[in-house]
Amino acid sequence: MNVELEAARELLDNARRIVAVTGAGISAESGVPTFRGPEGVWKSYRPEELATPKAFGRSPQLVWEWYAWRRKLLEHCSPNPAHLALARLAYDHLKVAIITQNVDGLHTRAAGDEGGYADPSPALPIELHGSIARDRCSACDSRQPGSATIDVTSLGTLPHCDRCSALMRPDVVWFGEALDRVLLDQAFHLAKSADVCLVIGTSALVHPAALVPLTTLDNGGKLIEINPHKTSLSPYASARLSAPAGTILSKLIHS
Ligand code: OAD
C-alpha cells in the first residue's frame, strides 16, 4: 500500500491538471448507502427499480417515499474526511475539478462553510446526476428547494409546481434519462485536458459517467483509483489504493 500511496502522491504532485471523479463509495463513510451494496436496497426495492421515469409514472407516491427517506437520512450525514480533503485540494490548486455522480450534496457542503470556506466556488463539484436537495417540475422544468417531509398519502399531497401546478419530481437523473449536455461536455473537456484522474468510490458501471476517466486515459493521462474493491478500471490504474476513501484521501492529500 505504501508503494502505491507514494506512486499516487508523485502523480498528483507532478500533475498540472487533475480531475476527481467520484461515486457513492466516497459518501459511504458519511453513512450514505451505496447503490450496489446490500444496504442500497430499500423495502426490497433496488435503486434500478425506483430511479426510473417508468417507476415514477406508475407510482409517484412510492418513488417520492423513497426520496423523502433518503433526504431524511442525509439530514444526519456530514461530509467525511474524503470530501474535505478533495475540497481542500480543489481550493488550494485551481487546476483541480471535482466531477461527481452523487446526488447527496456532500461535496458542495464540504466546499462551503462545513469545510471552512467562505467562497466555495473553486471546490464546487459538477453534479452529473443532479441533486436530491432540489425538486424539478415534471412539466415546465422549474426548480425549487426540496423538503424531506413529503406527504405521500395521495397524489394531491405530493409536491406541486408553484408556477404551473404540475407534479414535482426530484431533480436527479434517472436510469434511461439523458444527462445535462452542458455539464457532460464540461466534464469530458476537463477529463481530456487532465494529466491525472482520481477515480474514487465508483463501480464505474454507469455510463456515460464511467467514460470520463477513460477520456483522461485515452488522452495520455493517468488514473489513480481509490476503492476497496476492484472495478473494470482497475487494470488501467497507475496507482490503486485499496482502502476506504476517508482514510486514504487524507493521507494522500497533504494539508
Ligand atoms: P455503486 O454503488 O455502484 O458503487 C460504489 C463503489 O464504491 C463500489 O465500487 C464500492 O466498492 C466502493 N466503495 C464502497 N465503500 C467505499 C469507501 N469507503 N471508499 C471508497 N470506495 C468505496 O455507486 P456508483 O458507482 O456511484 O445513478 O453508481 C453510479 C450510479 O449508479 C449512481 O450515480 C446512480 C446509480 O444507480 C443514478 O441514479 C442515475
Side-chain angles (χ1 to χ4, degrees), residues 178-214:
L179 275 65
D180 182 300
R181 195 67 247 173
V182 174
L183 294 184
L184 199 58
D185 285 350
Q186 221 181 328
F188 279 115
H189 176 74
L190 288 162
K192 213 172 175 172
S193 59
D195 23 31
V196 172
C197 179
L198 259 171
V199 194
I200 307 162
T202 176
S203 57
L205 288 171
V206 174
H207 286 222
L211 298 176
V212 176
L214 291 175

Side-chain angles (χ1 to χ4, degrees), residues 23-25 28-29 34-36 101-102 129 173 175 201-204 206 226-229 243-245:
E29 289 150 273
T34 60
F35 288 92
R36 289 174 182 79
Q101 298 166 81
N102 299 344
H129 291 167
V173 177
F175 288 101
T202 176
S203 57
V206 174
I226 298 181
N227 195 318
H229 301 286

Side-chain angles (χ1 to χ4, degrees), residues 115-126:
Y117 304 109
D119 169 17
S121 47
L124 283 177
I126 295 175

